[in-house]
Amino acid sequence: MALIVQKFGGTSVADPEKIKNVAKRVLQKQKKGNQMVVVLSAMSGETNRLTDFALQMQDFPDTREMDVLLSSGEQVTISLFAMAVKAMGDDCISFLGDQVKINTDNSHTKARIQSIDSEKIVAELNSGKIVVVAGFQGVDENGNVTTLGRGGSDTTAVALAAALKADACEIFTDVEGVYTTDPNICNTARKIDRISYDEMLELASLGAKVLDIRSVTFAKKYNVPIHVRSTFTETEGTWVVEEDKEMEGRIVSGVTYNRNEARITISGVPDQPGIAAKIFTPISDADIIVDMIIQNQDTGNGLTDMTFTVIRSDYQRTVQLLKAVIEKTGANGGIHGSDAITKISIVGVGMRNHSGIASTMFNVLSKEGINISMISTSEIKVSCIIEEKYTELAIRALHDAFELDKDNVPEEESLT
Ligand code: ADP
Ligand code: ASP
Ligand code: MG
């Protein structure tokens, strides 16, 4: 008998009819002799709807209360799912994060799972029930409800699969797997059959929201193979697994975008030791995550510019904080920025051994008349910040230029 964890995202449980269909699918799998643990998201749009309500109450909603609010979305879907299963004549029990003890730290709205007490789940499975667990939520050491950050239900599923030593972890969504780019933007995007944890980590961290990055971190750490697939078809999806030889052959395997960032420049900063610490310490103290950072060369007047990106929802708060920093540092060029930007990235483990990939990317963007305002690179990725209005154009042009629609794996040089 296999133990299978299945996670269904928001579009898969968007209304009562869809929840019934998910229940049918889970029951079919159980009838084949498997023990089933199901993780559900809130109905699609629900977490956004609740967030809008919160913003009508406070400009920067209290994060503890935000978690109490946001966790309600998943409570609705798991209870309805359990009822649907019972109506089909089988037995099912729903659990909230604090009932199965998904223990997290107390970092409200972006909590990290620390441990899972899976005893209750195992007991219910052994009594023949389907167990359905609320995604995206946990409980801190003081009993406060916490949430894991947007997209966090994937992480709940993989963490449960690891804790339960499940035989499989299936992530059901509204596309048929992980593609070379977002198939909803580029119709020549190609489904990837197998992708390494490392490459998936890069894709997820650079915006491919098909899997939450922390779910891939857990999967890699505990060696949980993930099967990403569609709720609405039976087609085989994408396996996220350890790297193998065939994967190494690819130079660029995907194009991603992230519209969730904002760019801020603080100009005329005295170019002295300690200046970066003065700027970034208050920002990190406020729990704001900084992504790309560029410091320009001092042009001879002892002053420099510092440009960086933050999560878009932290834009206004960061600008507020920087106003105080300006006085302390004596920066005299003001603060300017934009929240209408996109980070476009190309990713591929094969980039480690190939040169010229970044320059191809820059040429493609330049040919389309797209200006690059920031660049960052790592061993297996190149990212550029561009104006948001060019997102689709840039994705399609890059996907085309790197021939990602083609299934051919470039030949590696060989000594034989
Ligand atoms: P769920 O609600 O099931 O968790 P998400 O909306 O979080 O689903 O993730 C699925 C979406 O991710 C797809 O509808 C697609 O638009 C988007 N996406 C972005 N990049 C990719 C990619 N490389 N491959 C597949 N989907 C992608
Ligand atoms: N409901 C949460 C969100 O919309 C968590 C998830 O769906 O994974 O982000
Ligand atoms: Mg998701």
Side-chain angles (χ1 to χ4, degrees), residues 363-378:
N363 277 312
V364 170
L365 296 177
S366 135
K367 233 188 248 164
E368 299 295 338
I370 301 171
N371 189 46
I372 302 170
S373 61
M374 295 173 86
I375 297 168
S376 94
T377 60
S378 81

Side-chain angles (χ1 to χ4, degrees), residues 91-164:
D91 207 359
C92 179
I93 182 163
S94 68
F95 285 123
L96 297 169
D98 67 330
Q99 293 175 309
V100 279
K101 288 269 177 266
I102 296 184
N103 300 302
T104 71
D105 62 17
N106 60 6
S107 198
H108 285 292
T109 74
K110 43 186 121 169
R112 290 176 166 275
I113 297 178
Q114 290 176 327
S115 63
I116 294 181
D117 182 359
S118 52
E119 211 175 299
K120 241 187 206 168
I121 297 181
V122 173
E124 297 292 356
L125 286 173
N126 289 340
S127 75
K129 288 186 193 132
I130 291 172
V131 175
V132 58
V133 180
F136 171 62
Q137 58 180 259
V139 61
D140 76 5
E141 58 184 357
N142 297 316
N144 294 302
V145 178
T146 54
T147 64
L148 310 180
R150 298 305 303 266
S153 297
D154 296 336
T155 305
T156 307
V158 177
L160 273 172
L164 292 162

Side-chain angles (χ1 to χ4, degrees), residues 48-207:
N48 289 343
R49 191 177 76 99
L50 296 170
T51 304
D52 286 347
F53 287 160
L55 289 169
Q56 290 175 42
M57 301 299 142
Q58 276 186 298
D59 289 341
F60 300 114
D62 180 272
T63 54
R64 181 190 180 279
E65 300 313 323
M66 195 69 177
D67 279 350
V68 174
L69 177 70
L70 294 189
S71 58
S72 67
E74 274 71 10
Q75 183 161 354
V76 171
T77 50
I78 57 164
S79 52
L80 293 177
F81 175 89
M83 291 175 202
V85 171
K86 283 168 188 272
M88 289 169 197
D90 216 303
D91 207 359
C92 179
I93 182 163
S94 68
F95 285 123
L96 297 169
D98 67 330
Q99 293 175 309
V100 279
K101 288 269 177 266
I102 296 184
N103 300 302
T104 71
D105 62 17
N106 60 6
S107 198
H108 285 292
T109 74
K110 43 186 121 169
R112 290 176 166 275
I113 297 178
Q114 290 176 327
S115 63
I116 294 181
D117 182 359
S118 52
E119 211 175 299
K120 241 187 206 168
I121 297 181
V122 173
E124 297 292 356
L125 286 173
N126 289 340
S127 75
K129 288 186 193 132
I130 291 172
V131 175
V132 58
V133 180
F136 171 62
Q137 58 180 259
V139 61
D140 76 5
E141 58 184 357
N142 297 316
N144 294 302
V145 178
T146 54
T147 64
L148 310 180
R150 298 305 303 266
S153 297
D154 296 336
T155 305
T156 307
V158 177
L160 273 172
L164 292 162
K165 299 195 171 46
D167 297 285
C169 181
E170 297 184 295
I171 304 285
F172 286 88
T173 183
D174 57 359
V175 289
E176 289 194 341
V178 180
Y179 283 68
T180 46
T181 194
D182 187 341
N184 289 321
I185 288 193
C186 180
N187 60 16
T188 56
R190 186 175 45 82
K191 190 172 74 191
I192 301 169
D193 294 333
R194 288 155 57 76
I195 188 166
S196 70
Y197 292 125
D198 285 337
E199 240 169 352
M200 193 62 233
L201 275 174
E202 286 286 341
L203 290 178
S205 74
L206 296 167

Side-chain angles (χ1 to χ4, degrees), residues 12-25:
S12 312
V13 292
D15 56 48
E17 222 33 60
K18 292 213 170 80
I19 293 177
K20 284 186 197 171
N21 285 334
V22 168
K24 265 187 222 148
R25 191 161 185 157

Side-chain angles (χ1 to χ4, degrees), residues 9 17 51 69 89-90 96 103 120 139 150 236 245 281 288 292 300 336 345 360 369 396 414:
E17 222 33 60
T51 304
L69 177 70
D90 216 303
L96 297 169
N103 300 302
K120 241 187 206 168
V139 61
R150 298 305 303 266
E236 179 86 359
K245 267 272 161 267
T281 305
I288 293 171
M292 291 160 84
H336 45 276
S345 311
T360 305
R396 290 180 195 133
S414 150

